[in-house]
Amino acid sequence: MAAAKPDSLPDFFETSRKGVADADLRRKLENSTGRHLEHVAHMRAEFPGYDGERDIARRIKDDAIGRLDELLIELKQKLEANGCTVFVAADAAEARDYILKVARKVGAHRVVKGKSMTTEEIDLNPALQAAGMEVVETDLGEYIVQLRRERPSHIITPAIHLSKEDIGQLFADHLGIAYTAEPEALTAAARERLRSIFLGADLGVTGVNFAIAETGTLVLIENEGNGRLTSTLPETFIAVMGIEKVIPQLADLSHFLEILARTGTGQKLTTYTNFISGPRREGELDGPRAMHVVIMDNGRSAMLADPVMREALYCLRCGACLNVCPVYRRIGGHAYNSPYPGPIGSIVSPNLFGSAAAKLPFASTLCGACRDICPVKIDIPRILLHLRAKETHAQPPTKWPADARRVRAGVRRFARMARYPRTLRLLSRLGGWMLRPFAHDGYLRWMPGPFKNWTRWGRDFPAPGARRRKPHGGA
Amino acid sequence: MSAFHKIIATVKSAIERSPRIAPPAHAHTPGVVVPVTHDARRAELISQFARELEAVGGAFLGVFSPDQVRARTLALAREIGAHTAAIGAGVTLDTAAVARALEQAGIAVIRPGASGDADRTSYRERLAACDLGIVEADAGIAATGTLAVVGTIASPNSLTLLPPANLIIFNADRIRADLAAAVAAIGAETFTTKRVALITGPSRTADIEKMIVIGVHGPKKLYALAIWPNQA
């Protein structure tokens, strides 16, 4: 999908419309995101220090991003002192080429991957496959979407768009097991298949959650153990990270860990928090013989230079903003055509992928739920407005598809009318009186003419006037 | 100017254009210190640890004296029908004695030592095939039911990763209230030179419809027990 389309808006409109029309997808998304939000609400309630930790974590990120140049120099020195080879890449192509060069040099046949959004960002898998290597995603969700030849549709739950029945059928088709929709049985089948793949892999590639400059330590967070296996078993290990992942010192880490899993998965802490500082030492069983760290800019320093965008670099990639987003929950991750979907994706994608994602900031109702749940309190709606303003003033002007043009024209007409409040009141009363015969229990299930799109997707519209009869403020 | 310095220069000029906010103030207001004995505090933390571990699907076997640990470990090995076990060198515990007890009961024991490149693969396959991995943690974290395991030559990380079941032992003296305290106790030096894993429960996933399934890539079963040092 990295085949960047010059104008992705028609694409986004098409794909999002497809998502909205897919009632089955919506049910799956509601199911999974709803379950996640319940866990998160519980976690926030039982941890009174939660909000304080959020503020501290945000301040640490603020500080780290404000002296990122010094911290990157320190991180590189410490990692090298620990025996790592560090490569700093200006863009995706440089990062990809470096990884490919290392893979070729060690003669890698089979590459195992831990979950990593950064490698999705740089489209690593197709590049390795084109070089004749077998690439296996080992996170269960990533493994599932890889078998389907799809992109992950969520930052932390890649297969959130699939039901257990979908996955059962997929495994029956690809792994040659009898059909089952039992998550336990499906997980066991994947474990067995992947364990033998792990033991025969030559190269492991993962992302990075935090890089501690003080000690030159990479921190990898996960639940399954595939990240541990990927960084432990193969003879060569490559970790890929964006420049914004660096934090100053070891003592800062706990503030992030206290909030990351609570919002990301609704756990207090993920099952595994792995600290990796370098390759294995003499006599050790575990760890790679050689460890490479790719630190990538790829548009991040441009975000840093923009005072409004800057805080987008605080993002921990917990994925919670996707789950609360009313737009994401209706259309699913694939509609965004970016490895980073949802609210956070709508603000980082235009910076990472340019014009191909320039319209994503419009994929939001600006309801602010993302800002409220964000563990580091990123003001996503503010950034969305900032990016919309930029896009609105872009030259040449945006080409909007026909229905978007109609909506914009409608809003302009309304704005003109709203300047005459008395007329507006009169007209709306008139409209309400005309619609009243169609209402049931105070709601319209159907509306005429240009309004039919509102009720078309199963949304009822409150009948004008009907609500006025209910007492105000009463229980 | 090297490519690296070019990127650093780009970052630096970006920072200069973007206002910087004051560095973090780690305000900490101390509360009242309720007088409790050292033992009472440890017992309280261990019981909190046990609750949290059970909540994430682990099993807490209890608190034992160093001498009782042998018998309890053997009993566990029998309960789960283990034929082979791998035991890493202890931090405070003499795990050689535990290994002997298991061997006397007819359980084959793997005791890791320095490994060379030649035997690495077969060594790993043996670990993956054994029924129970036993290690001693450097620290326990009460607030989350977490065990901090430090990998060494004689106690590699694979022990808590490849076998299907794990017993992780920790010394009651090394229980800490929360993550920050445990990380501080382990110290920057260890994080720089060793592979450290914080383990909170058995391996799990929620990738299929957000339903929790225990035992994906890592161990399916996680048992923990605490050693209460012998009273003088």
Side-chain angles (χ1 to χ4, degrees):
Chain A
M1 87 100 241
K5 308 240 167 58
D7 183 7
S8 81
L9 187 60
D11 257 344
F12 175 72
F13 265 168
E14 248 166 64
T15 44
S16 59
R17 200 173 282 142
K18 230 169 70 189
V20 170
D22 189 344
D24 202 32
L25 173 72
R26 210 185 321 168
R27 185 186 53 78
K28 292 172 200 165
L29 287 172
E30 290 291 333
N31 233 341
S32 295
T33 55
R35 213 165 283 162
H36 165 261
L37 293 174
E38 271 169 37
H39 291 312
V40 174
H42 176 70
M43 278 296 139
R44 287 170 82 153
E46 64 89 55
F47 181 48
Y50 181 78
D51 245 14
E53 289 291 346
R54 282 168 92 192
D55 287 331
I56 295 173
R58 188 182 161 92
R59 280 207 298 273
I60 295 169
K61 274 283 179 189
D62 227 0
D63 168 55
I65 297 294
R67 52 192 177 100
L68 192 54
D69 52 339
E70 298 161 31
L71 291 177
L72 285 173
I73 293 171
E74 187 185 357
L75 177 69
K76 183 168 182 278
Q77 277 168 355
K78 293 286 165 58
L79 282 168
E80 282 167 352
N82 294 342
C84 301
T85 309
V86 179
F87 178 74
V88 183
D91 56 27
E94 275 187 30
R96 216 165 38 222
D97 291 348
Y98 179 80
I99 296 166
L100 206 55
K101 197 181 81 191
V102 172
R104 283 208 181 101
K105 206 177 114 200
V106 301
H109 296 287
R110 180 184 284 161
V111 184
V112 282
K113 286 188 64 207
K115 217 182 125 25
S116 149
M117 294 315 298
T118 321
T119 58
E120 289 289 332
E121 177 186 327
I122 64 172
D123 254 316
L124 181 63
N125 293 7
L128 293 172
Q129 282 159 343
M133 291 167 220
E134 179 191 0
V135 183
V136 184
E137 293 287 351
T138 61
D139 170 84
L140 178 60
E142 294 276 349
Y143 181 63
I144 291 166
V145 294
Q146 192 189 31
L147 283 181
R148 283 174 61 98
R149 298 173 184 279
E150 280 180 332
R151 279 274 194 187
S153 71
H154 191 287
I155 296 177
I156 61 160
T157 324
I160 197 168
H161 58 292
L162 300 172
S163 66
K164 53 188 195 299
E165 289 78 17
D166 297 334
I167 296 163
Q169 194 53 53
L170 179 77
F171 278 18
D173 294 344
H174 284 79
L175 305 187
I177 60 165
Y179 172 85
T180 166
E182 285 300 312
E184 285 81 11
L186 294 169
T187 304
R191 174 191 164 109
E192 200 191 317
R193 179 65 60 100
L194 287 169
R195 183 52 80 88
S196 63
I197 287 174
F198 266 123
L199 291 168
D202 339 86
L203 173 64
V205 181
T206 70
V208 173
N209 293 96
F210 302 97
I212 304 168
E214 177 195 12
T215 54
T217 304
L218 305 183
V219 182
L220 258 77
I221 289 165
E222 53 149 347
N223 277 315
E224 295 183 4
N226 65 309
R228 282 184 85 191
L229 287 164
T230 305
S231 58
T232 298
L233 300 185
E235 282 295 277
T236 310
F237 169 54
I238 306 177
V240 189
M241 60 179 269
I243 53 172
E244 82 283 13
K245 293 287 180 209
V246 57
I247 59 172
Q249 44 184 359
L250 184 63
D252 296 328
L253 183 71
S254 66
H255 298 293
F256 293 101
L257 296 183
E258 291 286 9
I259 54 175
L260 179 53
R262 283 189 164 92
T263 13
T265 55
Q267 295 169 279
K268 288 182 184 166
L269 207 57
T270 54
T271 305
Y272 300 115
T273 306
N274 307 304
F275 296 78
I276 306 166
S277 296
R280 69 167 177 258
R281 294 171 178 239
E282 186 65 35
E284 277 183 347
L285 169 70
D286 288 327
R289 186 207 297 271
M291 173 167 161
H292 299 257
V293 183
V294 177
I295 305 175
M296 184 173 72
D297 181 343
N298 201 33
R300 288 166 175 80
S301 58
M303 286 160 75
L304 173 50
D306 178 338
V308 180
M309 271 310 302
R310 186 186 191 272
E311 62 175 319
L313 295 174
Y314 305 169
C315 175
L316 309 177
R317 303 279 187 264
C318 73
C321 61
L322 281 60
N323 293 347
V324 289
C325 178
V327 176
Y328 178 90
R329 291 172 67 144
R330 295 302 179 286
I331 64 176
H334 287 147
Y336 291 80
N337 289 322
S338 163
Y340 302 109
I344 188 67
S346 298
I347 61 175
V348 302
S349 304
N351 290 278
L352 301 177
F353 308 109
S355 64
K359 311 300 189 301
L360 289 184
F362 294 89
S364 166
T365 64
L366 302 175
C367 73
C370 47
R371 179 186 43 208
D372 294 344
I373 203 161
C374 177
V376 287
K377 300 187 174 175
I378 300 173
D379 195 343
I380 297 177
R382 175 167 175 250
I383 303 174
L384 286 168
L385 284 173
H386 172 67
L387 291 172
R388 285 182 186 188
K390 263 193 184 170
E391 184 58 22
T392 306
H393 297 121
Q395 288 299 332
T398 311
K399 274 200 209 101
W400 298 92
D403 46 1
R405 279 205 303 274
R406 275 201 297 278
V407 170
R408 292 165 80 86
V411 170
R412 262 198 303 275
R413 266 197 295 272
F414 176 79
R416 266 202 300 274
M417 223 155 54
R419 269 181 271 171
Y420 307 97
R422 228 176 281 165
T423 321
L424 182 69
R425 242 191 324 264
L426 196 74
L427 280 174
S428 56
R429 224 173 265 168
L430 190 72
W433 177 76
M434 276 162 57
L435 285 169
R436 205 161 305 160
F438 303 100
H440 294 276
D441 306 327
Y443 281 93
L444 295 166
R445 306 243 158 82
W446 173 88
M447 286 199 287
F451 305 108
K452 72 162 181 284
N453 271 338
W454 181 278
T455 42
R456 199 160 125 203
W457 309 117
R459 277 178 300 200
D460 292 344
F461 191 81
R467 267 203 288 201
R468 228 169 294 150
R469 269 180 252 119
K470 287 180 198 159
H472 268 291
Chain B
M1 197 153 70
S2 77
F4 172 63
H5 287 102
K6 223 180 270 173
I7 289 168
I8 291 297
T10 317
V11 168
K12 203 167 175 194
S13 83
I15 292 169
E16 280 154 12
R17 275 181 279 163
S18 210
R20 190 183 152 178
I21 299 159
H26 293 267
H28 180 69
T29 321
V32 176
V33 179
V34 180
V36 284
T37 64
H38 180 56
D39 280 355
R41 180 68 181 142
R42 279 190 306 183
E44 182 198 337
L45 290 177
I46 289 172
S47 96
Q48 187 188 3
F49 171 91
R51 271 198 312 278
E52 295 297 335
L53 178 72
E54 299 269 348
V56 292
F60 186 66
L61 301 181
V63 183
F64 301 91
S65 75
D67 298 329
Q68 292 168 327
V69 168
R70 282 194 298 275
R72 187 62 190 95
T73 306
L74 180 58
L76 174 71
R78 285 194 171 129
E79 279 161 38
I80 64 169
H83 298 293
T84 51
I87 305 186
V91 180
T92 67
L93 179 73
D94 175 21
T95 49
V98 180
R100 277 194 300 276
L102 291 176
E103 277 168 341
Q104 278 161 14
I107 294 166
V109 174
I110 305 169
R111 295 178 58 192
S115 62
D117 286 348
D119 54 4
R120 181 163 278 108
T121 311
S122 64
Y123 187 4
R124 261 193 198 127
E125 273 161 10
R126 280 169 61 214
L127 286 182
C130 89
D131 304 306
L132 178 65
I134 304 169
V135 299
E136 185 181 348
D138 259 48
I141 303 173
T144 49
T146 301
L147 294 151
V149 177
V150 178
T152 61
I153 290 176
S155 184
N157 266 300
S158 283
L159 288 181
T160 53
L161 188 53
L162 296 176
N166 264 173
L167 168 62
I168 305 183
I169 299 167
F170 68 97
N171 194 299
D173 276 340
R174 288 168 173 258
I175 186 83
R176 294 290 178 271
D178 57 22
L179 187 62
V183 168
I186 294 166
E189 172 67 18
T190 302
F191 284 102
T192 314
T193 53
K194 306 253 167 49
R195 296 169 81 85
V196 181
L198 304 182
I199 300 174
T200 311
S203 154
R204 71 178 208 166
T205 186
D207 273 347
I208 302 178
E209 291 195 6
K210 283 262 173 203
M211 291 196 252
I212 291 160
V213 177
I214 300 293
V216 196
H217 295 289
K220 246 182 210 124
K221 293 274 180 202
L222 176 66
Y223 304 92
L225 69 79
I227 316 167
W228 197 269
N230 280 332
Q231 310 290 328

